[in-house]
Amino acid sequence: MKKSSIYILILLLSVFNGIKVLSLTDLYGINESVVNNIGLAKPEFLYSYMTLLAFDMFPIILVQLVCGTYIYKHFFMATAYYFTRHGNKSKWFLNESGKLFFEIVSIISTYIISSTFIMIMLGTKIDNILSLIYIDISIIILFTLYTYIFTFIINVISIFVGSQIGFIVVFSIEMVFVIMLLIHEKIGFSNGIGNWLIKLNPISNIIISFHSTKFGFNTYIDKLDINFDIIYSILYLVSIALFCVFSALFTLKNIDLSIENREEIG
Amino acid sequence: MKGLVKAQFSIGIRKQGFQFSFLLMLIYAIATSLYYCSTQIGYEYSGLYNASFLSGINVDSDFAWFFCRIMPFIIVLPSGFSLFNDYKIRIVTVLQSKYGVKKYYISKIISVFILGFIVFAVPFVLEYLLNLVIIPGDAGNTITNWPMYTNVYFDMGSSYLFPEIFAYSPTLYLMVSIVLTGIFGGCASVFIASFAVFRVQFKILFFLPLYMFIYVISILADTFGNKYYVFDAYIMAFDGVFGKSLFYYIAIMIFLLTFGCGLIMSKSYMDQI
């Protein structure tokens, strides 16, 4: 898919986000609109919330679909030609992983910033500009890391079994994490184990309203009051990402040629 | 033509995608049925749920939200890659030279539709048959615990898509809903399969069109009201959103089918043997 098509889709999504809040511009300020409509908020643990959450994650899923073959495509097409010309495959792989990361940063930033901008243009009032900048940057970092992890995993799985199975596996794992939010609610968040379990769920780490901050912006977030620092989420997701990249590097060192066409499976 | 449809169908049902999606729908349907049956162990006879309401496509079921969210992706698997696979392994040329370009594409559309229909209709029919074996035929409760044939029951039914059929027989209503869900599955399969004419390289991109379409519809529903939510309000049965329109549902299906057929048939004029 062309890069321009991806950015056009992302801008369209931002416009749709703006349309969603059009009737609510008098009720909510920009901070709350961003937290509710982009930041996967409304933490009521009902089945209907799970439905909304799964749909609000569409921009993330879109990036996974579009970038899910970013590294895989090099193993799929002309592998003999491509890899005989790269002296150090590990260096190449780390380079591609880095390029994938920056591609995702670019797409997610475009989505968040354009959505915020369109909401402001459509009449949502700006109640606290510093808080808005903090929340937007936090969402960009958390969404980028989360999307990067799962997009990277799709790429790696695709190398072995094809892109459609890679996506299905990753999407199933994400749905399991979404369902686990219901289990977290049953266990509770105030006790030790429940508190740690919800922080270990990758989905919880991208729901901005679960988090708290020491910078005085908890008015719009920290709905669960579980002392869930954004810095913790960033470090957690970064460590998962590094683990995935180096595990894949170790595994893929021995793969030279893609003899079988993985796209013909299934 | 009949032979070609039969051949394409028999190739399609042997594909892993079809088998996996059919198995998944079957497991979902049977698990829903067994879950509700297990919750009724020890119930008095008068409190048992009627077999017609213990369906995976009942919107009041505890797992309906999960089904609604995975369905846009599962629809791709039975036959969404069918045309893509034919292009990849170059069997297109062989079939077109033997049967003709137009006949090939028409038979492709028919086989894709049938495969999609089977995956989203047959498991729920089998589930109903299983329910009939387990639950007494004259059990009289819905899964929202309203007794049947009371004023509340009929009031709820007045907001369903076929209120007269529901009032006459909930079983008939369920069967009609299952058939419509199957038809939606078939239309959506044709819509997805048609994107192979763009010669996409990777199968992962086939998950995008229908999901985007459903997402746009959901934005419209957010803006104009819940009666436009295709999945929750129309594909699922026993949904109580007021103001639903059968015309809207059929229009969505016709759009998906026409778009898919149009895209595929436009290719038939460009193909040369």
Side-chain angles (χ1 to χ4, degrees):
Chain A
M1 212 171 171
K2 286 187 197 161
K3 262 192 187 170
S4 53
S5 320
I6 301 167
Y7 285 97
I8 290 170
L9 271 174
I10 288 291
L11 288 171
L12 273 172
L13 278 182
S14 310
V15 169
F16 289 142
N17 264 332
I19 292 171
K20 261 200 302 188
V21 302
L22 205 53
S23 57
L24 302 169
T25 51
D26 294 333
L27 290 170
Y28 299 117
I30 186 64
N31 283 288
E32 212 156 340
S33 294
V34 165
V35 169
N36 287 343
N37 293 298
I38 306 172
L40 311 178
K42 300 185 284 295
E44 297 105 15
F45 293 93
L46 305 169
Y47 295 131
S48 53
Y49 173 49
M50 301 301 126
T51 303
L52 289 170
L53 179 62
F55 251 134
D56 286 344
M57 284 174 65
F58 177 64
I60 294 175
I61 292 172
L62 174 67
V63 175
Q64 287 175 359
L65 287 171
V66 158
C67 297
T69 54
Y70 194 86
I71 300 173
Y72 163 60
K73 65 177 182 257
H74 299 300
F75 288 86
F76 170 75
M77 295 187 289
T79 46
Y81 173 85
Y82 197 76
F83 288 119
T84 48
R85 282 154 177 79
H86 283 281
N88 189 341
K89 222 161 74 173
S90 303
K91 202 173 160 187
W92 168 83
F93 186 78
L94 288 173
N95 194 26
E96 285 299 308
S97 305
K99 277 202 252 178
L100 173 63
F101 179 77
F102 287 112
E103 182 76 24
I104 292 174
V105 167
S106 164
I107 296 172
I108 298 284
S109 309
T110 308
Y111 169 67
I112 305 291
I113 293 170
S114 55
S115 295
T116 308
F117 188 64
I118 287 172
M119 280 194 239
I120 293 172
M121 284 216 354
L122 288 174
T124 314
K125 56 185 186 303
I126 304 173
D127 36 13
N128 186 335
I129 190 82
L130 279 176
S131 177
L132 176 65
I133 294 170
Y134 181 84
I135 288 173
D136 267 0
I137 291 174
S138 304
I139 294 176
I140 288 172
I141 295 173
L142 293 173
F143 274 28
T144 301
L145 288 168
Y146 176 91
T147 310
Y148 176 72
I149 290 166
F150 286 99
T151 308
F152 184 82
I153 294 172
I154 291 174
N155 274 281
V156 171
I157 295 176
S158 300
I159 291 169
F160 295 100
V161 288
S163 57
Q164 79 278 19
I165 298 175
F167 175 73
I168 288 283
V169 167
V170 165
F171 183 73
S172 309
I173 293 170
E174 288 180 292
M175 283 296 108
V176 167
F177 288 137
V178 169
I179 292 167
M180 280 185 65
L181 288 176
L182 292 168
I183 298 172
H184 292 319
E185 197 245 347
K186 286 214 168 10
I187 297 173
F189 319 117
S190 48
N191 58 39
I193 294 175
N195 199 289
W196 275 108
L197 274 177
I198 195 168
K199 289 175 184 175
L200 287 174
N201 188 337
I203 291 284
S204 313
N205 284 273
I206 60 168
I207 299 175
I208 194 71
S209 58
F210 285 7
H211 290 82
S212 55
T213 167
K214 295 183 177 61
F215 299 106
F217 300 128
N218 285 341
T219 320
Y220 308 104
I221 55 178
D222 198 20
K223 301 285 185 223
L224 293 183
D225 193 21
I226 54 172
N227 193 21
F228 194 179
D229 206 328
I230 287 177
I231 304 294
Y232 162 82
S233 286
I234 294 172
L235 290 172
Y236 177 60
L237 292 173
V238 165
S239 44
I240 295 178
L242 289 172
F243 174 76
C244 289
V245 170
F246 286 105
S247 308
L249 181 64
F250 182 73
T251 313
L252 294 174
K253 255 185 171 172
N254 299 320
I255 294 183
D256 278 318
L257 299 174
S258 177
I259 299 165
E260 197 180 308
N261 185 348
R262 302 296 181 201
E263 293 302 296
E264 285 175 17
I265 294 173
Chain B
M1 174 80 135
K2 210 169 148 187
L4 185 55
V5 173
K6 215 172 154 186
Q8 299 217 41
F9 177 77
S10 64
I11 292 170
I13 58 170
R14 283 170 177 76
K15 287 284 180 187
Q16 285 174 358
F18 174 83
Q19 290 171 356
F20 174 75
S21 54
F22 186 83
L23 188 63
L24 191 65
M25 285 293 104
L26 197 60
I27 290 172
Y28 167 73
I30 292 175
T32 306
S33 177
L34 292 178
Y35 167 76
Y36 278 106
C37 290
S38 68
T39 59
Q40 294 181 89
I41 295 173
Y43 268 40
E44 278 187 15
Y45 188 88
S46 58
L48 291 176
Y49 301 140
N50 187 277
S52 310
F53 295 93
L54 300 182
S55 176
I57 63 165
N58 185 341
V59 77
D60 295 321
S61 120
D62 287 344
F63 311 111
W65 66 272
F66 178 71
F67 174 72
C68 288
R69 295 294 71 81
I70 66 167
M71 195 184 174
F73 297 109
I74 300 297
I75 286 181
V76 181
L77 297 178
S79 47
F81 306 128
S82 177
L83 192 55
F84 173 90
N85 286 335
D86 282 2
Y87 285 140
K88 272 288 174 188
I89 61 176
R90 299 186 212 275
I91 202 170
V92 176
T93 320
V94 171
L95 291 175
Q96 286 181 354
S97 59
K98 192 170 175 190
Y99 295 99
V101 173
K102 257 206 178 116
K103 274 192 180 164
Y104 165 74
Y105 282 116
I106 292 172
S107 62
K108 176 59 68 185
I109 291 167
I110 295 170
S111 59
V112 163
F113 182 91
I114 292 172
L115 289 168
F117 178 87
I118 288 173
V119 167
F120 290 101
V122 171
F124 299 112
V125 172
L126 294 174
E127 180 192 20
Y128 177 69
L129 295 174
L130 177 67
N131 288 339
L132 285 180
V133 169
I134 301 173
I135 306 277
D138 51 359
N141 262 0
T142 67
I143 61 171
T144 49
N145 290 315
W146 292 114
M148 289 170 66
Y149 304 116
T150 58
N151 285 337
V152 175
Y153 173 85
F154 288 117
D155 280 341
M156 285 298 296
S158 63
S159 61
Y160 298 164
L161 260 185
F162 303 102
E164 298 88 7
I165 296 177
F166 176 75
Y168 176 70
S169 163
T171 303
L172 186 60
Y173 170 80
L174 177 67
M175 289 300 130
V176 169
S177 301
I178 288 173
V179 166
L180 281 177
T181 302
I183 292 173
F184 181 87
C187 295
S189 297
V190 173
F191 175 76
I192 294 163
S194 68
F195 282 86
V197 305
F198 295 117
R199 303 294 178 144
V200 295
Q201 289 275 1
F202 303 105
K203 284 180 175 176
I204 194 173
L205 292 172
F206 283 90
F207 291 101
L208 195 51
L210 185 68
Y211 198 62
M212 272 216 64
F213 178 76
I214 299 295
Y215 183 77
V216 168
I217 297 275
S218 75
I219 301 289
L220 284 173
D222 272 346
T223 314
F224 297 112
N226 285 341
K227 62 183 182 184
Y228 295 106
Y229 265 126
V230 171
F231 274 82
D232 305 65
Y234 291 94
I235 290 174
M236 305 304 281
F238 307 105
D239 180 82
V241 170
F242 281 94
K244 288 204 296 284
S245 162
L246 180 63
F247 174 74
Y248 171 73
Y249 190 21
I250 291 175
I252 295 275
M253 287 195 273
I254 289 175
F255 170 77
L256 291 173
L257 189 63
T258 316
F259 186 94
C261 292
L263 209 52
I264 291 174
M265 293 314 293
S266 67
K267 190 73 174 66
S268 73
Y269 291 104
M270 293 193 285
D271 271 0
Q272 285 180 2
I273 303 170

